[in-house]
Amino acid sequence: MQKEKIVLWGACSRTDKVIKSIDNNLYEILAIVDNDIQKTGGTFHGIPIKETGYLDNIHFDKLILCLGEKGTLNVKEQLHGKGYNIETMNYFIKKQLEDIYKNSDDKEIKDIMYYLKKHDLDVFNYVYTDKYKELKAECEYDTSCKLFYILHNGKKMYMKRSLDTKEKSIEYYRYICMEQDELSPHRYLVDGYNVEKGMCVMDIGAAEGNFSLDVVDKARKIYIAECDPEWLEALGYTFKDYPDKVEIINKYVSDHVSDHTTTIDSILSGKVINYIKMDVEGSETEVLDGASVTLKSNHNLICAVCAYHRHGDEKKISDKLHEYGMFVEPSSGYMCFLCDVNTYINPEFRRGIIRGKYN
């Protein structure tokens, strides 16, 4: 079978991921093109980097844009009218997923595959995401601390310092709103797993703190654990009006206590907790290992634990919560976690959240 001839656009870290997702038995990479003339003339993974005019002088089957959303739109505008067969950087993952799931009986998977017939692959592959592309947000600049903030449900939610423009802040905000849409597989709060008035809450891996901000008026106490210095600064401003209710913990939550780490059991020693939300970039199972006393002693506890970061975490997290007698179920729908480099080698759809509670 003759290989398809492809050209990649952009010599960057994204290109590295794309190269890993290409089946060399099916595709031949002719070159990489780039608008940056300082890169042209060199090589990337042994592939020659050419000026963009190279495209007019060769025959190729597909041009793959190894760029973010904004860069993709700019290049598509630059190449408008050229007639090239253009695909985005996740094209090869999408082709692999089509093959992997072509015989799936899972209706939720079938719905995603139908959606992907007309859309590029993304983390969330659902029609609902379209409404967030142009979501309006009130974003202001606080001159006293020199940080941007978003008015989120009437409350100021500060952005970290590296989100240093309105555009960046609003783009970030759109994504976290999309993440927590009522149809999202990443949504924490759903019927049967809501934060009710008077609950004590733990938010592990809070980032900007949107989860805690959404429940702060209901909760009796919130423990926020975050270790990113930029987000810690922003969280301090977001929750400055709740000094007695919100406690911010500047440590990695893990399965052991050290100078830089702590555990759920250590934080909550002797305290009651009703709700644990956890999003710790793939360390969820380790964090649960450091929560055995808490899970055994709090029988009015609800857990919402991210399961999409690593292969197999859905089962591992479910099994751990089952061990403590919890009723366990996954969120509806699936995610394709494109930040995991393994997704480009062995792609799969993963459940977003594992929820657990005592009957």
Side-chain angles (χ1 to χ4, degrees), residues 165-226:
T165 66
K166 266 192 179 184
E167 183 183 42
K168 290 179 184 177
S169 298
I170 291 173
E171 183 179 358
Y172 178 86
Y173 181 68
R174 285 173 179 157
Y175 185 81
I176 62 172
C177 288
M178 179 177 69
E179 211 177 47
Q180 295 307 312
D181 184 271
E182 62 182 8
L183 297 177
S184 170
H186 195 295
R187 184 175 174 86
Y188 299 112
L189 301 170
V190 297
D191 287 346
Y193 298 90
N194 277 311
V195 172
E196 305 296 344
K197 191 166 184 61
M199 280 187 169
C200 293
V201 177
M202 192 165 201
D203 184 355
I204 307 173
E208 74 296 320
N210 66 326
F211 174 83
S212 290
L213 199 60
D214 282 339
V215 303
V216 69
D217 292 330
K218 288 183 179 181
R220 180 160 57 90
K221 178 76 175 181
I222 300 179
Y223 302 92
I224 291 179
E226 179 54 55

Side-chain angles (χ1 to χ4, degrees), residues 296-314:
K296 287 175 183 175
S297 59
N298 289 273
H299 287 167
N300 292 316
L301 177 62
I302 293 172
C303 293
V305 183
C306 286
Y308 62 89
H309 294 109
R310 297 189 302 193
H311 172 75
D313 269 3
E314 176 187 347

Side-chain angles (χ1 to χ4, degrees), residues 3-9 14-32 47 62-66 88-96 341 343-347:
K3 294 182 181 181
E4 276 197 82
K5 299 181 184 298
I6 61 172
V7 176
L8 309 180
W9 185 296
R14 290 187 176 92
T15 316
D16 180 66
K17 292 180 179 179
V18 173
I19 291 170
K20 289 176 180 176
S21 69
I22 293 174
D23 185 340
N24 293 319
N25 294 313
L26 301 177
Y27 305 98
E28 178 187 356
I29 305 173
L30 300 179
I32 299 169
I47 303 166
K62 286 185 177 65
L63 175 63
I64 310 297
L65 306 185
C66 308
T88 59
M89 64 176 287
N90 297 322
Y91 171 76
F92 299 105
I93 306 176
K94 179 178 171 180
K95 296 297 287 184
Q96 290 182 70
V341 68
T343 298
Y344 289 80
I345 303 167
N346 296 303

Side-chain angles (χ1 to χ4, degrees), residues 138-145 147-159 173 208-210 213-214 216 234-242:
E138 294 183 67
C139 183
E140 302 294 339
Y141 185 68
D142 188 331
T143 55
S144 64
C145 62
L147 292 175
F148 284 95
Y149 64 85
I150 300 283
L151 279 177
H152 176 65
N153 296 331
K155 296 183 176 68
K156 293 180 181 180
M157 182 167 66
Y158 282 81
M159 298 289 103
Y173 181 68
E208 74 296 320
N210 66 326
L213 199 60
D214 282 339
V216 69
L235 287 166
Y237 289 108
T238 296
F239 293 100
K240 62 182 173 61
D241 294 333
Y242 302 92

Side-chain angles (χ1 to χ4, degrees), residues 246-292:
V246 177
E247 181 179 336
I248 299 175
I249 299 150
N250 176 16
K251 279 195 172 185
Y252 290 93
V253 182
S254 184
D255 58 356
H256 64 282
V257 176
S258 70
D259 290 343
H260 305 291
T261 64
T262 188
T263 65
I264 290 177
D265 284 346
S266 178
I267 295 167
L268 298 175
S269 179
K271 302 183 179 88
V272 172
I273 194 73
N274 306 110
Y275 200 112
I276 296 175
K277 166 260 174 181
M278 192 185 306
D279 185 351
V280 287
E281 305 301 323
S283 296
E284 285 80 5
T285 56
E286 288 87 343
V287 174
L288 287 173
D289 285 339
S292 59

